[in-house]
Amino acid sequence: MYDYRPPRQNAIARLLVVGLLILSVASFAVSAFVPALAIIPQTIGLLLLLPTIQIVTRYIVTQYLYRLCPYEDGNTDLEIYAYRGGTRMQLVCRVGLEEITAANELSATNRKPPSGMRRYNYAPDIRPAKALVLSITNSDGDCEILLCPDERLTEILKKPHNVAEN
């Protein structure tokens, strides 16, 4: 078994949260100076809080754990767990290494998924500097997974797997 927790480097997320909070507080302050039309800046302030909460929940609070689990039959699964500050981890993705058809570094050409392809993002950052896009083919169909593995996990995931190895 191999575990890796990708570090978060979310300067962009932190700046967005601070900027949205400042705009939200400013809109509530403006409503105090314009009591006749107070509902308009207050509504804008509340609407600015929604993306703030989403960004905090997704990119600042949530952490990921990538785990390789070998089995007795020789197959290995990549399991991805998400947890939000507590000790309770939730399994969000499980893929057999034999289901991985391609593993490519994230670049400008593959930053967006192909048309009609579903991409699941398990990267801890908004715009990761170094990430890996896994193409998966299984009984559910074709999809892609975006993650930020270390060098050892990248080497394991890039290897072709007919029968997974440790």
Side-chain angles (χ1 to χ4, degrees):
M1 184 166 9
Y2 178 72
D3 291 348
Y4 176 68
R5 284 191 175 96
R8 290 184 291 188
Q9 300 156 347
N10 272 328
I12 295 172
R14 287 187 202 109
L15 286 174
L16 278 173
V17 167
V18 169
L20 288 170
L21 280 175
I22 289 171
L23 288 173
S24 180
V25 168
S27 66
F28 284 116
V30 166
S31 70
F33 295 115
V34 188
L37 300 173
I39 194 166
I40 294 171
Q42 289 174 356
T43 304
I44 292 170
L46 285 174
L47 289 176
L48 289 171
L49 286 177
L50 292 175
T52 304
I53 293 169
Q54 289 176 334
I55 292 170
V56 166
T57 303
R58 169 61 177 89
Y59 292 107
I60 294 179
V61 176
T62 303
Q63 295 179 355
Y64 291 103
L65 170 71
Y66 307 146
R67 176 176 285 167
L68 291 176
C69 289
Y71 296 103
E72 291 83 27
D73 63 358
N75 290 330
T76 303
D77 284 353
L78 169 66
E79 296 177 345
I80 301 173
Y81 292 90
Y83 58 101
R84 292 175 176 89
T87 58
R88 185 172 168 264
M89 294 190 301
Q90 179 181 6
L91 179 66
V92 292
C93 179
R94 176 182 287 156
V95 174
L97 293 185
E98 68 277 356
E99 297 172 346
I100 298 173
T101 57
N104 302 313
E105 297 288 332
L106 185 66
S107 63
T109 58
N110 67 353
R111 189 154 296 273
K112 291 187 178 185
S115 179
M117 178 77 68
R118 176 81 176 138
R119 180 177 288 176
Y120 298 96
N121 186 349
Y122 301 115
D125 298 330
I126 289 179
R127 294 189 56 90
K130 185 178 176 188
L132 193 66
V133 177
L134 301 178
S135 298
I136 309 294
T137 301
N138 57 20
S139 60
D140 293 336
D142 295 337
C143 67
E144 291 183 342
I145 296 175
L146 178 68
L147 30 106
C148 296
D150 62 347
E151 290 81 23
R152 180 174 177 211
L153 190 56
T154 300
E155 178 183 312
I156 292 169
L157 294 174
K158 282 188 170 185
K159 260 195 292 186
H161 298 279
N162 294 339
V163 174
E165 303 171 16
N166 290 338

